[in-house]
């Protein structure tokens, strides 16, 4: 087996967590090797455009549609969920409904860009609400890193909107770019709903429609330079200098692909790294962590390198360094540990898998609200993310959609086909009917918190391998009563919001896209995943209840770090990426201190 | 090469399409997709069906009873109706829909008759987006902050587009 030259640090995964650490270590003059499982076809503008064209021409415009996997680096696909015939081996009882992308740039290639901070109470679920577990860090410790992460990934928001439920900002702080203008639809809904009281248990909470922080370029503050489209044309040659980032053009396709790269993806960070110290090896799938049995120290990472994304032919090599970082995504990190026989203290690796199972509510506004324009969403309802009710049931947040019923029913295509095929409309009557209804389509996404449950887990099975012979993730997943009760409360609030705004509720899962069902007290909910995998290598104050410490260092392997949302002990209701970026920057600081010594 | 016969065939096709979609010929031609869509019909359907569809269209009366007649003679026809409805969806969504099983059994199945987006350009040109006052997701964006402006029907009020 061939050994690569030793590096200061070997990072597995060119996603946002790996990219941020690579950038900070190379900035400090440390040498970094990044092993990336997928192809590098999002590096050059021409290749990126081919991904865009693939999306345009796709029949099912799923989140995965622009990003086909290589044979050697398969990935989950939400369209495979119904028949359970995808990359995941789903053992239920509930299907895990999320996906990720294995490509240079990772899952931020197709994320939506919502960049909320966690609430202070989210870090202390056990002490505050008697459920879940506490983090070994609190909001105050993470706050400076949140600020740095907001600059690194380029978040647009106004502090004036974002101070709620205990979230605070230092005096004089504001986001690097002004808030993305809320949509017309947001303002119409806000006018109807703001101040509306909602009762949860014995609490009455006033809700409002609020602009959320988004990793999409808008108008910079104070000389901030937004990052633009990436165009790296060769592996080692000079990259085309990154351009000043364009503002969001309103392409309404952040998920699955931003045509102008106004939305952040991890490639932007990689493009900014000091290339004198950075080696990125694509089509290199880490397959085993080699550990010294006596000390527990990692001695190398075995990986399988393929030349042709269309075949499984590969060679096996070993990469070595002083420190190692797994940044391969919550599921792949756990899988890689388990495939190496590393189960963590008390066998905790892969356990407490979480997501934000989410419901759709959709309706018809009384007036034209200009649907199907702008970023897929620009505002949310955030006031029910925190409160004393969390001792009894899950918290939740709403996204207010700008893209009509696309996600919930497949409109406008399905609306056209219904009008033409089922209702026999044609000519001016058809055009008028669509013109009178499509612009009134309203959609809410109701994302519900989930607690850590050791039985929800990623494991491996020697009988279930991918074409390179690496294990496929086996998923056990159950949505418990805490989350189900949160779903019930969330749907009641959505109904009340629609009633208040005069929106005709059209939520009818039997007429929507197919999603798995769960049942609670005689009610059926159809949920989908949010792509928010978490908890598979949770951090904690001691090895009894965790795999890594607050610096994301493995308790049992002192030169190994596991980064990403797999590190979260609980996940609250915020989309995970900003928090995992803040944690990655904190770990990068620790590494620079240690390695530069 | 496009000869005069092809041109008049295309004109007929655009006329039929305008009748079926409710968009004017100039808007349909403006999408740049007319010739490509006629080629889809030609490729997927037996030739006599395309010809019959066009001649049924040419024989429609002018004047107020035209639409009623189109409904009876084209959309209500068991052989032409499903094809006409597919053509409407093609214009609105840029996608061909596999013809119903009964139709395929009665009038001929083609291996090219599969549900699919015809091309990236067809997706972008879908009339559904125009009907909605919107733009194809992932293409033809309206520009920074345009989403903050109310739709035509609402006028524009108190917008926040920022500095420039
Ligand atoms: C549809 C969708 C929408 C989302 N929207 C949001 C949102 O609005 N806000 C938010 O905060 N989050 C969102 N997310 C989640 C977000 O995408 C993830 O939190 C984030 O990308 C995780 O970053 P990561 O670096 O840990 O992993 P990834 O981004 O998945 O990167 C991991 C990288 O490691 C590589 N890799 C995997 N296995 C190996 C291996 N064995 N060897 C070498 N390399 C490997 C992968 O190819 C990939 O490049 C969304 C997710 C989805 C699916
Ligand atoms: S709305 Fe469009 S331009 Fe704006 S960030 Fe999303 S995909 Fe990019």
């Amino acid at each position: 087996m061939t050994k690569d030259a030793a590096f200061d640090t070997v990072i597995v995964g060119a996603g946002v967590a790996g990219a941020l650490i690579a950038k900070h270590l190379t900035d400090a003059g440390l040498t970094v090797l990044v092993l990336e499982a997928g192809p590098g076809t999002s590096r050059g503008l021409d290749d990126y455009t081919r991904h865009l064209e693939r999306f345009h021409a796709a029949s099912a415009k799923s989140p995965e549609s622009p990003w086909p996997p290589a044979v050697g680096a398969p990935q989950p696909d939400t369209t495979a969920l119904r028949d359970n015939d995808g990359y995941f081996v789903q053992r239920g009882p509930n299907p895990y409904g999320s996906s990720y992308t294995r490509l240079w740039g990772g899952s931020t290639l197709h994320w939506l860009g919502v960049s909320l901070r966690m609430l202070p109470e989210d870090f202390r679920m056990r002490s505050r609400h008697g459920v879940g577990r506490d983090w070994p860090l609190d909001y105050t410790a993470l706050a400076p890193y949140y600020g740095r992460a907001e600059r690194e990934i380029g978040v647009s928001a106004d502090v004036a909107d974002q101070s709620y439920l205990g979230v605070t900002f230092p005096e004089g702080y504001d986001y690097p770019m002004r808030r993305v203008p809320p949509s017309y639809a947001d303002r119409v809904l806000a006018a109807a709903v703001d101040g509306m009281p909602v009762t949860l248990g014995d609490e009455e909470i006033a809700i409002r429609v609020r602009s959320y922080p988004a990793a999409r370029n808008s108008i910079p503050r104070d000389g901030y330079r937004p990052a633009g489209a990436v165009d790296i044309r060769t592996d080692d040659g000079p990259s085309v200098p990154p351009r000043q980032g364009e503002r969001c053009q309103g392409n309404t396709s952040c998920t699955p692909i931003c045509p102008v790269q106004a939305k952040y993806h991890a490639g932007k960070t990689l493009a900014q790294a000091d290339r004198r110290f950075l080696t990125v090896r694509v089509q290199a799938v880490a397959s085993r962590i080699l550990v010294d049995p006596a000390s527990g120290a990692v001695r190398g990472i075995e990986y399988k390198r393929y030349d042709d994304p269309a075949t499984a032919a590969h060679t096996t090599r070993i990469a070595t360094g002083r420190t190692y970082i797994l940044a391969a995504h919550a599921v792949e990190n756990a899988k890689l540990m388990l495939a190496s026989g590393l189960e963590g203290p008390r066998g905790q690796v892969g356990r407490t898998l979480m997501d934000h199972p989410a419901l759709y509510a959709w309706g018809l506004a009384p007036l034209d609200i200009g649907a199907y324009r702008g970023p897929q969403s620009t505002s949310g309802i955030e006031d029910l993310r925190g409160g004393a009710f969390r001792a009894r049931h899950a918290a939740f947040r709403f996204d207010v959609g700008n893209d009509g019923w696309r996600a919930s029913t497949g409109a406008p295509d399905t609306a056209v086909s219904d009008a033409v095929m089922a209702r026999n409309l044609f000519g001016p009557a058809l055009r008028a009917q669509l013109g009178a209804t499509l612009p009134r389509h309203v959609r809410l996404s109701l994302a519900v918190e989930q607690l850590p449950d050791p039985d929800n887990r990623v494991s491996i099975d020697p009988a279930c391998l991918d074409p390179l012979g690496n294990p496929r993730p086996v998923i056990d997943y159950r949505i418990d009563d805490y989350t189900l009760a949160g779903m019930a409360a969330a749907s009641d609030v959505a109904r009340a919001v629609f009633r208040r705004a005069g929106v005709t509720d059209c939520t009818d899962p039997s007429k929507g896209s197919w999603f798995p069902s769960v049942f609670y007290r005689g009610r059926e909910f159809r949920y989908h995943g949010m792509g928010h995998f978490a908890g598979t290598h949770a951090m904690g104050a001691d090895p009894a209840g965790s795999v890594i410490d607050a610096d994301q260092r493995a308790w049992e392997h002192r030169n190994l770090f596991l980064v990403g949302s797999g590190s979260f002990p609980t996940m609250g209701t915020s989309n995970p990426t900003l928090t995992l970026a803040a944690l990655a920057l904190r770990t990068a600081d620790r590494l620079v201190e240690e390695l530069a010594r | 090469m496009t000869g005069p016969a092809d041109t008049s065939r295309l004109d007929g096709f655009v006329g039929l399409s305008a009748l079926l979609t409710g968009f004017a010929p100039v808007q349909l031609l403006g999408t740049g997709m007319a010739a490509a869509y006629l080629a889809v019909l030609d490729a997927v359907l037996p030739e006599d069906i395309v010809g019959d569809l066009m001649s049924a269209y040419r024989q429609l009366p002018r004047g107020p009873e035209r639409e009623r007649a189109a409904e009876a003679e084209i959309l209500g026809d068991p052989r032409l109706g499903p094809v006409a409805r597919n053509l409407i969806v093609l214009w609105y969504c840029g996608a061909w829909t596999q013809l119903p099983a009964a139709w395929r059994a009665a009038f001929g199945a083609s291996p090219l008759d599969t549900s699919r987006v015809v091309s990236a350009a067809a997706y972008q040109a879908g009339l559904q987006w125009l009907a909605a006052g919107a733009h194809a997701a992932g293409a033809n964006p309206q520009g920074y902050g345009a989403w903050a402006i109310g739709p035509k029907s609402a006028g524009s009020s108190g917008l926040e587009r920022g500095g420039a």
Side-chain angles (χ1 to χ4, degrees), chain A residues 312-326:
Chain A
H314 65 274
T315 52
T316 302
R317 304 170 65 96
I318 290 173
T320 58
R322 292 160 69 198
T323 51
Y324 298 86
I325 295 169
L326 305 190

Side-chain angles (χ1 to χ4, degrees), chain B residues 26-140:
Chain B
V26 60
Q27 289 171 297
L28 298 183
L29 288 166
T31 65
M33 296 310 298
Y37 290 164
L38 180 54
V40 169
L41 293 198
D42 285 338
V44 172
L45 302 167
E47 200 185 324
D48 53 330
I49 292 185
V50 184
D52 292 353
L53 183 62
M54 305 281 253
S55 73
Y57 163 69
R58 277 193 303 272
Q59 284 160 28
L60 291 176
R62 309 259 144 208
E65 67 275 39
R66 191 170 165 81
E67 261 191 47
R68 183 68 57 79
E71 203 162 354
E73 304 301 321
I74 299 180
L75 290 140
D77 181 83
R79 184 157 155 273
L80 301 182
V83 174
R85 280 187 283 280
N86 259 19
L87 178 58
I88 300 174
V89 172
L90 183 57
W91 276 107
Y92 272 87
C93 305
W96 180 259
T97 317
Q98 187 174 60
L99 285 156
W103 192 99
R104 287 159 62 84
F107 307 114
S110 155
L112 296 178
D113 179 20
T114 55
S115 296
R116 65 190 191 279
V117 171
V118 163
S119 66
Y123 162 73
Q124 295 181 45
L127 299 177
Q128 55 181 343
W129 309 107
L130 291 183
H135 68 96
N140 318 322

Side-chain angles (χ1 to χ4, degrees), chain A residues 12-18 35-38 63 99-103 105-108 110-114 255 284-286 327-329 332 530-532 564-565 575-578 580:
Chain A
V12 180
V16 47
L35 299 174
E36 166 51 50
S99 69
Y100 49 89
T101 308
R102 290 175 91 189
L103 218 64
S107 308
T108 47
H110 80 294
W111 75 321
L112 183 57
V114 183
T255 299
V285 188
H329 183 273
E332 298 294 330
M530 291 279 283
H532 300 171
S565 46
N575 313 47
T577 309
L578 185 77
L580 75 84

Side-chain angles (χ1 to χ4, degrees), chain A residues 171-217:
Chain A
E171 189 64 32
Y173 179 85
D174 215 328
Y175 286 82
M177 293 174 280
R178 281 157 63 173
R179 70 175 185 179
V180 171
S183 68
Y184 176 76
D186 291 341
R187 287 191 290 135
V188 172
L189 193 66
V193 166
D194 282 6
M196 172 180 153
V198 165
T199 307
L200 294 181
D202 16 294
E203 271 169 292
E204 188 178 279
I205 301 172
I207 62 169
R208 57 171 281 205
V209 175
R210 189 190 299 270
S211 152
Y212 66 62
R216 306 177 186 127
N217 291 339

Side-chain angles (χ1 to χ4, degrees), chain A residues 354-378:
Chain A
M354 295 172 270
D355 193 358
H356 289 134
L359 316 176
Y360 288 127
W362 62 98
L364 208 53
L367 295 168
D368 185 339
I369 50 157
Y372 298 97
R373 300 181 309 138
Q376 272 147 322
S377 60
T378 32

Side-chain angles (χ1 to χ4, degrees), chain A residues 216 248-254 257-260 262-263 374-375:
Chain A
R216 306 177 186 127
C248 166
Q249 295 297 303
N251 270 294
T252 328
S253 64
C254 312
I257 181 168
C258 178
V260 294
K263 182 193 72 174

Side-chain angles (χ1 to χ4, degrees), chain A residues 135-137 142 539-541 546 548-553 555 583 586-587 590:
Chain A
W135 285 53
L137 293 164
L142 211 53
M539 59 165 62
S546 59
I548 54 174
D549 67 16
D551 296 340
Q552 305 192 85
R553 188 194 293 268
W555 289 114
L583 290 173
R586 190 169 177 279
T587 293
R590 297 290 180 279

